[in-house]
Amino acid sequence: TIYVPYGESIEAPEAPAAEDIPGYNFVAWIPDVDSGLIMDTTEGMDFVAILEAKEITVTFDPNEGECEEDEITGTYGENIKLPEVSREGYELLGWYNGTEKVGVPGDEYALPTDDVTLVAKWKGEKHAVIFVDTDGKEIGRVEAETDAPVVVPEELANPEKSGYEFAGWDSEIPETMPAEDVTITATWNELFDVIYKNEDGSVFESFVDAGVAGDEIPVPADKPSKDGHYFDGWVDANGNTVTTIPE
């Protein structure tokens, strides 16, 4: 309220403070005080502020995802539709303004009083690193959310198989979970038994799973004996002296 003596010019009052008209810009007073309006009544005069809705820009941060819209501009109070957003290996939790969830793609969102940035929040989808044998049979698996560490237990890091020595996995175990299931296959080297026999075919000593091809052949600590003879060494079925397990 302002007080003006009868017959004097009316000076324009200050525009409303921004905090008093959130979402709007001040345009003018009606009647127009700037046109030299004179106080010509003893009953007072009412002035009405003309306001216009502010132009508001909503910026969309896909947070390592892909969004169909970078930003949408409209006027305060107008409803817009939240855009689609995606990220491989992740489930969308929604669009957020700080800690407040404002909706999901397709929802209507009323433009606020000021520009705002909405951020997509994600939850990693659960995937698995699947460990299989050469016949395709599953040995085990590790499950985790996308990008979470892949923690491999010892029984999968170094599996065991009767008659074989583990030679590694056919591909590298990922350090973090990929955005899809991954299958890796065990590789093995066959273990061989080494059997020492007497001339009559009886077993002198045997070494089970003695080694793989190329390994040094284990030798019995004791030597066989035979009346009237001295021991001259060991040979294979073909009469050859061998020191390593053949390929």
Side-chain angles (χ1 to χ4, degrees):
T1 300
I2 59 174
Y3 296 94
V4 180
Y6 180 82
E8 291 190 10
S9 297
I10 301 173
E11 294 184 4
E14 292 184 0
E19 58 267 22
D20 295 330
I21 52 172
Y24 292 91
N25 293 319
F26 173 73
V27 178
W29 292 105
I30 297 296
D32 184 3
V33 189
D34 294 329
S35 61
L37 191 65
I38 302 297
M39 175 60 75
D40 57 1
T41 177
T42 59
E43 298 179 356
M45 301 178 67
D46 291 330
F47 293 85
V48 178
I50 302 300
L51 308 176
E52 65 177 5
K54 288 169 60 177
E55 184 176 84
I56 303 297
T57 297
V58 181
T59 303
F60 299 97
D61 177 358
N63 191 15
E64 299 188 40
E66 294 184 359
C67 184
E68 61 182 14
E69 299 276 358
D70 292 330
E71 61 182 36
I72 296 177
T73 299
T75 55
Y76 166 64
E78 178 185 352
N79 285 340
I80 63 170
K81 281 194 174 183
L82 297 173
E84 295 291 335
V85 62
S86 61
R87 183 181 176 188
E88 185 179 5
Y90 286 80
E91 174 188 351
L92 178 68
L93 297 178
W95 286 107
Y96 281 74
N97 180 9
T99 58
E100 177 191 4
K101 181 179 179 179
V102 300
V104 296
D107 284 353
E108 290 195 345
Y109 174 65
L111 294 183
T113 57
D114 293 292
D115 293 346
V116 66
T117 296
L118 300 183
V119 180
K121 286 195 176 182
W122 305 97
K123 177 183 179 181
E125 296 175 346
K126 184 168 284 189
H127 294 286
V129 177
I130 305 167
F131 301 84
V132 300
D133 205 345
T134 50
D135 59 2
K137 183 178 179 181
E138 183 175 322
I139 298 172
R141 63 173 57 202
V142 174
E143 295 183 342
E145 293 181 358
T146 304
D147 290 335
V150 174
V151 181
V152 182
E154 178 61 26
E155 62 267 23
L156 289 180
N158 292 288
E160 296 181 353
K161 182 179 180 180
S162 178
Y164 292 86
E165 178 184 78
F166 179 61
W169 298 101
D170 68 340
S171 57
E172 186 176 354
I173 300 173
E175 293 184 0
T176 58
M177 186 60 68
E180 59 184 4
D181 290 350
V182 174
T183 299
I184 58 177
T185 303
T187 60
W188 306 93
N189 291 323
E190 186 176 2
L191 289 169
F192 294 92
D193 298 339
V194 176
I195 302 172
Y196 289 87
K197 294 183 177 181
N198 296 306
E199 278 185 331
D200 60 3
S202 60
V203 175
F204 177 77
E205 188 171 349
S206 61
F207 297 87
V208 178
D209 293 342
V212 300
D215 282 354
E216 185 176 344
I217 292 177
V219 179
D222 298 327
K223 297 178 180 180
S225 61
K226 182 179 179 181
D227 290 343
H229 296 76
Y230 67 90
F231 177 67
D232 194 31
W234 298 101
V235 294
D236 65 10
N238 297 315
N240 299 316
T241 300
V242 291
T243 57
T244 59
I245 298 175
E247 300 288 339

CSV table of all heavy atoms in Angstrom, one decimal, residues 1 47 81 110 140 211:
chain,number,residue,atom,x,y,z
A,1,THR,N,0.8,-1.2,0.0
A,1,THR,CA,0.0,0.0,0.0
A,1,THR,C,0.9,1.2,0.0
A,1,THR,O,1.9,1.3,0.7
A,1,THR,CB,-0.9,0.0,1.2
A,1,THR,OG1,-1.7,-1.1,1.2
A,1,THR,CG2,-1.8,1.3,1.2
A,47,PHE,N,-4.1,-1.6,-7.9
A,47,PHE,CA,-3.2,-1.9,-9.0
A,47,PHE,C,-2.9,-3.4,-9.0
A,47,PHE,O,-2.7,-4.0,-7.9
A,47,PHE,CB,-1.8,-1.2,-8.8
A,47,PHE,CG,-2.0,0.3,-9.0
A,47,PHE,CD1,-2.3,1.1,-7.9
A,47,PHE,CD2,-1.8,0.9,-10.2
A,47,PHE,CE1,-2.5,2.5,-8.1
A,47,PHE,CE2,-1.9,2.3,-10.4
A,47,PHE,CZ,-2.3,3.1,-9.3
A,81,LYS,N,6.8,-34.8,-20.5
A,81,LYS,CA,7.0,-36.3,-20.3
A,81,LYS,C,8.4,-36.6,-20.1
A,81,LYS,O,9.3,-36.1,-20.9
A,81,LYS,CB,6.4,-37.1,-21.5
A,81,LYS,CG,4.9,-37.2,-21.4
A,81,LYS,CD,4.4,-38.2,-22.4
A,81,LYS,CE,2.9,-38.5,-22.2
A,81,LYS,NZ,2.4,-39.5,-23.1
A,110,ALA,N,5.7,-31.9,-13.7
A,110,ALA,CA,5.4,-30.5,-13.8
A,110,ALA,C,6.6,-29.6,-13.6
A,110,ALA,O,7.4,-29.8,-12.7
A,110,ALA,CB,4.4,-30.2,-12.6
A,140,GLY,N,30.9,-74.6,-11.8
A,140,GLY,CA,30.4,-73.6,-10.8
A,140,GLY,C,30.2,-72.2,-11.5
A,140,GLY,O,30.4,-72.1,-12.7
A,211,GLY,N,52.5,-87.7,-13.6
A,211,GLY,CA,52.8,-86.4,-14.3
A,211,GLY,C,52.2,-86.3,-15.6
A,211,GLY,O,51.4,-87.2,-16.1
